[in-house]
Amino acid sequence: MLDAQRVAAIDCGTNSIRLLVADVDIDGTKTDLAREMRIVRLGQGVDRTGFLAEEAIERTLAALREYAVIIADHGVEKIRFCATSATRDATNSAEFGQRVERVIGVRPEVISGLSESRFSYVGATWGLPPGSRAVLDIGGGSTELVLGDKPLGPDVGESYDIGSVRMTERFLHADPPTLAEIGTCLDACDRLIGRELEKYPPVTTLIGVAGTITTVAAHALELPRYDSEALHGARIPVAELASACLALASMSVAERRDLPFMHPGRADVIGGGALVLDSVLSHLPLQTDEVVISEHDILDGIALSFVLPLDQP
């Protein structure tokens, strides 16, 4: 990799903040050096208040201080920090950006849902053989679904304001959630995205990315621990994934935390995300009976954006 540059990509979502340090060549060849994830719940209460809570900002800055050390230790040349749903929705995102810059040296880019979907698509599909596919990314505050067959971007893409934290805060208040709460949440998911998904062209390959989907997949596979290698490339029947969604949504938080693959910071909101996934699987016109799981996603797309023209419309 004679022309490689060492970069740091940061994905700041509603529930987690993640770091990828990688060497990226001008042709898009990428060598990962470090991957980190912290559950910081930056989007705590944002759906209700429209405001980033101070304690959530402090959790995020604490994670960034750890990331700053990793970035310095690896001699990173360039940093790109992309913030998504929670920061898009917050009225105090500018103040948050100033505080981030003092810690990490760059100000967050608050990217649009369209950019988020493009980065997720390229991150998940870059390097795969040509072919038509859809990429589904369920985050804490939003869900991106994109379809395409081009290496650098989707033909059809949309971002929906529906995600694990948002739906949990709105609908799933009991522990465990009541059947009525689960039904109301599913009805809301169907109303918010179901009719839109039914308008999509037929999907022959569906790739699921990011923590909500990989956690549901780990449950479907009954993994003894969270295993990225076992998950990446796994093909899970749609019926088994849908069954895992409803099982997770029906559990108490304590029961979810006891699952060996469950990140403790995801246990209280995975139910909302699982119900979003169940709704997508119910309404998307699938011409396949399986979902392909990928550990590559928006974070990889951000890293590739240093050398690929992903910011172009």
Side-chain angles (χ1 to χ4, degrees), residues 57-287:
I57 293 175
E58 286 295 340
R59 290 193 299 267
T60 305
L61 295 178
L64 284 173
R65 291 184 188 101
E66 296 179 32
Y67 289 176
V69 174
I70 297 169
I71 288 169
D73 287 346
H74 281 85
V76 165
E77 302 167 48
K78 296 180 180 178
I79 304 171
R80 186 167 192 183
F81 185 125
C82 293
T84 56
S85 178
T87 315
R88 282 198 297 266
D89 292 350
T91 57
N92 58 336
S93 59
E95 175 196 343
F96 171 64
Q98 292 169 357
R99 295 172 69 177
V100 165
E101 187 174 17
R102 289 196 289 269
V103 172
I104 205 79
V106 297
R107 188 164 296 198
E109 300 173 52
V110 184
I111 62 173
S112 68
L114 181 60
S115 293
E116 188 175 354
S117 66
R118 178 185 289 265
F119 289 159
S120 291
Y121 177 88
V122 173
T125 63
W126 186 252
L128 295 180
S132 179
R133 51 227 164 187
V135 174
L136 175 66
D137 182 343
I138 298 173
S142 67
T143 291
E144 284 68 46
L145 178 66
V146 291
L147 285 72
D149 57 11
K150 302 183 184 72
L152 291 181
D155 298 315
V156 179
E158 192 64 64
S159 179
Y160 303 95
D161 285 335
I162 179 173
S164 61
V165 175
R166 196 185 296 268
M167 302 311 284
T168 297
E169 289 184 348
R170 285 185 185 181
F171 300 106
L172 306 179
H173 305 300
D175 185 22
T178 65
L179 288 177
E181 287 178 338
I182 291 172
T184 301
C185 186
L186 278 172
D187 287 344
C189 292
D190 293 347
R191 184 178 68 254
L192 291 167
I193 63 174
R195 295 186 185 91
E196 293 295 319
L197 297 180
E198 290 168 357
K199 300 175 185 176
Y200 276 73
V203 173
T204 55
T205 301
L206 178 60
I207 301 173
V209 305
T212 290
I213 295 177
T214 59
T215 301
V216 175
H219 189 53
L221 293 171
E222 299 182 344
L223 294 184
R225 59 184 176 83
Y226 191 93
D227 186 340
S228 294
E229 291 187 5
L231 286 165
H232 187 62
R235 295 175 176 270
I236 302 179
V238 170
E240 292 183 15
L241 206 60
S243 178
C245 287
L246 295 177
L248 284 169
S250 302
M251 291 180 185
S252 69
V253 173
E255 288 172 327
R256 295 174 193 152
R257 287 201 175 112
D258 283 342
L259 296 170
F261 52 78
M262 181 68 65
H263 190 290
R266 207 179 293 283
D268 61 332
V269 295
I270 189 66
L275 294 177
V276 174
L277 177 56
D278 185 73
S279 181
V280 172
L281 295 176
S282 298
H283 291 278
L284 193 63
L286 294 173
Q287 291 188 340

